[in-house]
Amino acid sequence: MFPKTGKKFPSEAEFSNPTYASLVAEILRAELGNSHQAHKTLMKWTGANERTAKNWLSGANGPSGEHLLQLMRSSDRVFELVLRLSRRPAVLSNQTLVEIRNSLKVTADLISDVIELQDPRLS
């Protein structure tokens, strides 16, 4: 009998759990697209070379160390992904808080308009 050599086929479990690199790639593609401009933007944000940026977008590799910090500074979505992956308490980015505040303001204005239409004496 000969010993088993060579590579094994990955199990279904290995395909079902997204990896760090694939999650970052999904976030970056959603934010930047998958164009040449996306590579340029990543290079500008992080100082990484083009091959590295392409690997991040394809999910072949994920950013580490200083590049990850640079991405977190430039992308609220990457920042929030890292917080989720680290299972830290939810922290909303400033951009998200501004969006929530604006949405609440629009909702409050609509409620005021409805109240005024129903009974002008209440305003």
Side-chain angles (χ1 to χ4, degrees):
M1 197 62 56
F2 294 106
K4 292 183 180 180
T5 60
K7 297 187 181 199
K8 65 180 179 109
F9 286 106
S11 67
E12 278 189 40
E14 292 176 43
F15 284 118
S16 64
N17 293 330
T19 63
Y20 162 72
S22 67
L23 291 170
V24 170
E26 184 179 325
I27 293 290
L28 292 174
R29 285 191 308 266
E31 187 168 352
L32 303 173
N34 201 18
S35 67
H36 184 67
Q37 187 61 41
H39 305 136
K40 294 283 189 186
T41 301
L42 287 174
M43 292 165 59
K44 180 179 160 190
W45 285 355
T46 63
N49 65 41
E50 186 172 6
R51 181 75 257 156
T52 300
K54 285 181 179 182
N55 284 338
W56 293 342
L57 284 169
S58 72
N61 295 316
S64 60
E66 190 172 326
H67 288 148
L68 180 60
L69 293 175
Q70 293 293 337
L71 282 175
M72 290 171 66
R73 284 186 196 116
S74 301
S75 170
D76 289 337
R77 290 179 179 181
V78 172
F79 175 73
E80 290 166 358
L81 172 70
V82 170
L83 287 176
R84 279 197 319 268
L85 292 176
S86 64
R87 295 191 172 108
R88 297 289 295 183
V91 175
L92 298 175
S93 67
N94 286 340
Q95 181 66 29
T96 303
L97 290 173
V98 167
E99 290 170 5
I100 291 170
R101 180 193 64 195
N102 293 341
S103 178
L104 288 172
K105 186 173 187 239
V106 168
T107 303
D109 290 344
L110 287 172
I111 291 171
S112 295
D113 291 346
V114 169
I115 290 171
E116 288 175 12
L117 286 174
Q118 290 179 353
D119 190 352
R121 294 177 294 159
L122 295 177
S123 56

